[in-house]
Amino acid sequence: MWETLYGYLDAKCATITDLLPAVAEKARPDDVHKLRTSIKRIRACGQLAKHFKGFKGKRYANVLKILQHAAGALRDIQLQQDSLQQYTRQNPQYKFFTTLLEDRHIQAKAQAQDTARSFPDAFIKKLRQQPAQLPHVSHKELSEHL
């Protein structure tokens, strides 16, 4: 089980480090979604891992929370745009709302891109090393916390 958790966290950390430059550059909806969900999953695993001696990843989870919020705001607007686009096909009289939402999209995209760009390479490298920093936990210790 420990190997499964380690592999899962390692894959999510790799996803985040791979997507940060893509979100900083283009902020495509699929990349924003994957980044946001990967951060949420790492933070959830961190909630479990913080109960064990030797866990030192709390500061990474707190910093990633900032990025999660920026990506979340952008993703919410992207989904609202999709819904509005489908709605205005049948109700064109409401098309003016797309302009209002586009202004919010531009602001949220800029914020998410700026946030992603602000992560220094050193942080990204350390994030990639975090799964290896997790303390080894026995099945008994793990089951006590589940």
Side-chain angles (χ1 to χ4, degrees):
M1 178 155 175
W2 180 251
E3 294 78 20
T4 303
L5 180 60
Y6 171 83
Y8 183 78
L9 285 173
D10 190 51
K12 295 303 164 196
C13 286
T15 299
I16 291 170
T17 57
D18 291 345
L19 288 175
L20 270 174
V23 169
E25 183 66 29
K26 302 245 185 207
R28 291 187 308 258
D30 287 345
D31 292 341
V32 173
H33 174 68
K34 286 179 189 173
L35 179 68
R36 184 176 175 226
T37 57
S38 293
I39 292 170
K40 286 173 76 172
R41 290 175 180 162
I42 283 179
R43 291 184 62 225
C45 288
Q47 290 297 316
L48 173 65
K50 76 179 184 180
H51 296 286
F52 304 110
K53 287 167 73 177
F55 177 68
K56 297 176 181 156
K58 184 176 180 179
R59 64 182 169 179
Y60 291 95
N62 290 339
V63 173
L64 286 173
K65 184 178 184 178
I66 295 166
L67 181 59
Q68 179 185 347
H69 285 294
L74 176 57
R75 183 66 180 148
D76 289 345
I77 291 172
Q78 289 170 339
L79 293 173
Q80 289 170 3
Q81 284 180 312
D82 289 345
S83 294
L84 184 59
Q85 187 178 29
Q86 291 173 12
Y87 183 74
T88 56
R89 283 187 195 134
Q90 296 172 356
N91 303 287
Q93 68 270 26
Y94 298 111
K95 196 151 182 93
F96 68 93
F97 283 117
T98 59
T99 305
L100 297 173
L101 200 52
E102 182 58 32
D103 291 341
R104 289 187 58 212
H105 178 258
I106 290 168
Q107 293 171 352
K109 183 176 181 180
Q111 182 182 6
Q113 288 177 309
D114 289 345
T115 303
R117 280 188 204 107
S118 70
F119 279 77
D121 289 337
F123 176 86
I124 294 169
K125 287 178 185 174
K126 286 181 181 178
L127 177 66
R128 222 21 219 112
Q129 298 166 355
Q130 281 307 293
Q133 304 292 324
L134 289 172
H136 185 72
V137 179
S138 70
H139 289 286
K140 181 181 177 187
E141 290 174 301
L142 191 57
S143 64
E144 288 174 4
H145 292 281
L146 295 178

